[in-house]
Amino acid sequence: MQVAYQGIVGSYSEAALGHWQKMDSQEALYEGVPYDGFARMVDDLLAAKIDRAVMPIENSTTGLITRTLDLFRYQQVYAEAEYYQPIRHVLWGLEGAQLSQIKQVYSHPEALSQCTQFFQDHPWIQPISYKDTAQAAQFIAQEGDKRLAALSSERCGAIYKLKALARQVQNESTNMTRFFMMRRYRNELLALDRDQLLVQLLADHPQANRLMLYVETAHKPGALHQLLTIFNLFNCNLEGLDARPIKDQPFSYGFFIEVDIHGLAGQAQLFWQMLDHASQYLQIIACMEAQEAEISYLT
């Protein structure tokens, strides 16, 4: 099975893929395929050029990673699993470099946004966006300039033979990123009547107890309230509600909604029918077994 991930060896996405590989009972199940862009990963997933894609969708410090989540809207893809990856950024430089002489730090924009306090404390250092955390480390190693540094994972130091100038650079010690394992809808699912989709997905994933939906409602008073009332009727705990602007519809918004559905049982079809009736557009973004965010690595 070919599984796409953002970046190169040493990236946090590759580490998340490694977690799923270890958790699977079959050895050598996943063949990692590096990418340098999230949009192309989704395009190739839809075109069946890859089988799965590991995508970061949320960070505990900065919130939803909308640059990836927005790529799933209106597409025939969904997440079948999630994983919370601890993120501990290390500032890497060349051998012989000192923190006081660093002028520029390269990393992925998401990583830089998780380390704003570091840059406030070191105002002479300029943060510079780069394609990926691991590629930033590789770039520093290749440039050979002691004034340059990179923010990336602990593993990158050994891979690219760099010196740690500072550890735990992130704003929050509990910093972690949530990853989805994305797949495309099987043709059999796409052929189903609309009201059967959730029923069949739950049959395919019997351990699933969490849904993420993308929903657009009518732009009128009470429309969102009507939708949210349905979750209460079916005893579904609302775990997340985030608004996103709809393309080419200024100041109109769709919503990413997460719900705990462990008590839904045999009511899935009626639940889905009522949601569909209360929506102008309804899409399943994730159907999976919920995982806990482990913070034991801090102790």
Side-chain angles (χ1 to χ4, degrees), residues 1-5 13 16-21 24 29-30 45 51-57 72 77-83 178-184 205 285-288:
M1 180 186 297
Q2 290 192 314
V3 184
Y5 65 89
S13 292
L17 174 57
H19 162 80
W20 272 301
Q21 177 71 84
D24 200 286
L29 176 63
Y30 302 134
L45 184 61
D51 301 298
R52 301 287 191 275
V54 174
M55 307 280 281
I57 62 98
F72 307 152
V77 298
Y78 74 97
E80 63 179 359
E82 66 177 354
Y83 170 60
R178 183 182 178 199
F179 286 86
F180 276 175
M181 178 69 82
M182 303 299 299
R183 64 174 298 172
R184 62 187 169 276
H205 304 282
I285 298 292
C287 179
M288 61 200 175

Side-chain angles (χ1 to χ4, degrees), residues 48-187:
K49 294 180 180 179
I50 52 176
D51 301 298
R52 301 287 191 275
V54 174
M55 307 280 281
I57 62 98
E58 187 176 10
N59 178 262
S60 60
T61 301
T62 58
L64 288 182
I65 303 173
T66 55
R67 66 170 62 88
T68 56
L69 267 179
D70 284 347
L71 294 173
F72 307 152
R73 294 193 289 183
Y74 320 117
Q75 302 294 349
Q76 295 170 351
V77 298
Y78 74 97
E80 63 179 359
E82 66 177 354
Y83 170 60
Y84 293 86
Q85 169 72 46
I87 305 295
R88 290 172 283 181
H89 296 304
V90 180
L91 184 70
W92 294 111
L94 298 179
E95 284 295 334
Q98 300 296 322
L99 179 58
S100 59
Q101 70 185 117
I102 299 300
K103 300 299 183 184
Q104 297 177 332
V105 170
Y106 292 76
S107 196
H108 190 275
E110 190 66 30
L112 294 173
S113 70
Q114 296 162 16
C115 303
T116 53
Q117 187 60 52
F118 171 83
F119 292 106
Q120 290 179 23
D121 294 342
H122 302 83
W124 68 89
I125 299 178
Q126 178 188 10
I128 298 180
S129 296
Y130 206 69
K131 295 175 285 187
D132 169 65
T133 56
Q135 289 182 78
Q138 184 185 60
F139 171 73
I140 296 304
Q142 292 172 345
E143 285 296 294
D145 188 337
K146 293 182 180 180
R147 297 171 300 173
L148 307 181
L151 279 173
S152 56
S153 69
E154 184 75 37
R155 189 165 163 235
C156 282
I159 294 173
Y160 302 108
K161 298 179 174 56
L162 297 171
K163 172 189 175 182
L165 303 178
R167 282 187 160 85
Q168 297 281 15
V169 179
Q170 67 276 0
N171 293 351
E172 298 183 11
S173 60
T174 55
N175 189 40
M176 62 184 69
T177 294
R178 183 182 178 199
F179 286 86
F180 276 175
M181 178 69 82
M182 303 299 299
R183 64 174 298 172
R184 62 187 169 276
Y185 278 100
R186 296 183 291 110
N187 290 334

